[in-house]
Amino acid sequence: MIERALILDGYTDEPAGLGVPPYIGIYPRYAYGVLDKYNVKTDYITIDKFREVRGNFNLDKYDAIICICGFHTPGKYLNANPATLKEFVSILYKYNGLKILGGPAATKYGSSMIGGRIEDESKYKAFFDVVAEGDLEAVLNDLLREGSIEKIDFNRYRSYEELKEFAIRGVKVVKKHPNYPYIIAEIETYRGCSRALTGGCSFCTEPRRLGLPKFRDEKDIVEEIKALYDEGIRYFRIGRQPCIFSYKSVESEKEEVPKPNVEAIEKLFKGIWNVSNPKVLHIDNANPAVIARHEAESREVAKILVKYCTSGNVAAFGVESFDEKVIKANNLLTTPEDVLKAVEILNEIGGKRGETGLPYLLPGINLLFGLKGERKETFAINFEYLKEIYDRGFMLRRINIRQVVPFFGTDITLKDIKKAEKRKKLFLWFKEKVREEIDNKMLKRVVPKGTILKDVFVEVKERDNLYFGRQFGTYPILVGIVDKNLKIGEFVDVEIVDYGRRSITGRVVKL
């Protein structure tokens, strides 16, 4: 019988969902909602906060501890240090209560390893009594209902009908977050991908694990946002989906590049504003092929996003490669022409500067190296297309360059990784070249000198007169602030005076 539980949030980072501060992901919220349903007294703590208080923290007062962590697309984090399964084991090795693992690290499709090659973590998983390979909230619900581990299916997934209650009840956890109220709630809209019709991209787990899209109703999403807003949350990202332009598309189970459902998307974002007044409302993923091949509908969607979302918004394009041989070998679908057209459309509609100091809606580009068919020419091809985007006067908010990871169930093998390792120097050269010759110039275009960025949140003190901060939102720009009198946790308006390769330098101004 579980009467008291602890959620230990080690953070998550996936292609369709962030849970690293300043974000709070869906896993702890949904889990808290289930525990609340069964009247379990539940505490919540982030791994960073736990490390601070570990010596005085009594784990034995809990009947169960739910550990959450895992990555598909690990990145660099300014003010957070995610947990690994190894660390969880070191924390709980003397704990005798029920040990439950959730998040990507609990599945075959994720890992807790943040850098380097993915390792076999089965020995760490075996330490836990319950490993939720399906949905953590579904497994928790069954466990609390049945009262026995032996009677539950660790692989079970929940439906969106079932999720309604968990999502609403789970909003209460946000006030237990150490960064409250300065956290961004990641909001789920749908799961699965239309690319499952042909197997999906070679490296991606989404279509393999979740199949074709299953959409969450607009009303349910709006109600969750209202509940979060009532708890004091003012920052939201509608980010947990493969492509926001494809939300509720009627062609989602028939076409790999489905036509956008303009009416449903407007209903969703208008509904959000009817129940809240968010300081930040952003999106994440968008398929450039959908935007380019359904131009009329996509233009309407882009206008909706500009109308209802706050400025500084980014539509992350999963380009992966501009090399047509790599595109074909990895079933990527999106062509270079699709990307150029989609970049043009978003620049035309979203390029106007908004109240935050940034343009309303710009594209970002993700490039992935180590894919099948990659060759030396791939690097030159990718660079030339990035240069063409810049030379044509377009803006990109970010260029994300990373190497592929061979997750379970994908077509990427260790053999592919070994081939990529032989091109490691070329990869590092390419990354440096983009940072020097594209990123720096693009930053100057997106944020010209003299631009005033409003509400930059001061997060880190580097030395006596240098601080680092960011605006709240999706893929915020790192701002170095030269000042002697700032406080961690305050908001300041900053005038841009200089540039790094991917960061900017500013001075505090009073408007």
Side-chain angles (χ1 to χ4, degrees), residues 283-294:
I283 62 164
D284 185 15
N285 298 317
N287 185 344
V290 170
I291 298 171
R293 300 182 199 182
H294 299 291

Side-chain angles (χ1 to χ4, degrees), residues 31-76:
Y32 191 92
V34 175
L35 293 161
D36 184 72
K37 175 184 177 181
Y38 289 93
N39 299 313
V40 177
K41 294 180 181 179
T42 307
D43 290 329
Y44 167 89
I45 191 168
T46 63
I47 187 63
D48 286 313
K49 187 65 178 178
F50 179 81
R51 293 181 188 121
E52 291 179 16
V53 300
R54 181 174 180 176
N56 299 313
F57 200 94
N58 180 18
L59 295 174
D60 292 325
K61 64 183 178 181
Y62 300 104
D63 303 307
I65 296 179
I66 298 104
C67 296
I68 296 170
C69 76
F71 299 87
H72 289 146
T73 51
K76 294 180 179 179

Side-chain angles (χ1 to χ4, degrees), residues 235-298:
Y235 310 97
F236 302 93
R237 189 173 82 154
I238 315 299
R240 196 172 174 82
Q241 74 280 308
C243 171
I244 188 62
F245 282 72
S246 301
Y247 172 68
K248 276 210 163 180
S249 170
V250 296
E251 298 179 350
S252 63
E253 295 186 359
K254 301 175 183 177
E255 301 289 340
E256 284 194 276
V257 187
K259 183 185 296 184
N261 185 337
V262 178
E263 182 180 348
I265 293 171
E266 179 157 31
K267 182 180 178 182
L268 172 61
F269 284 93
K270 184 177 181 179
I272 292 170
W273 278 97
N274 284 340
V275 300
S276 67
N277 183 27
K279 291 183 179 179
V280 169
L281 180 60
H282 282 175
I283 62 164
D284 185 15
N285 298 317
N287 185 344
V290 170
I291 298 171
R293 300 182 199 182
H294 299 291
E295 183 175 346
E297 293 82 5
S298 294

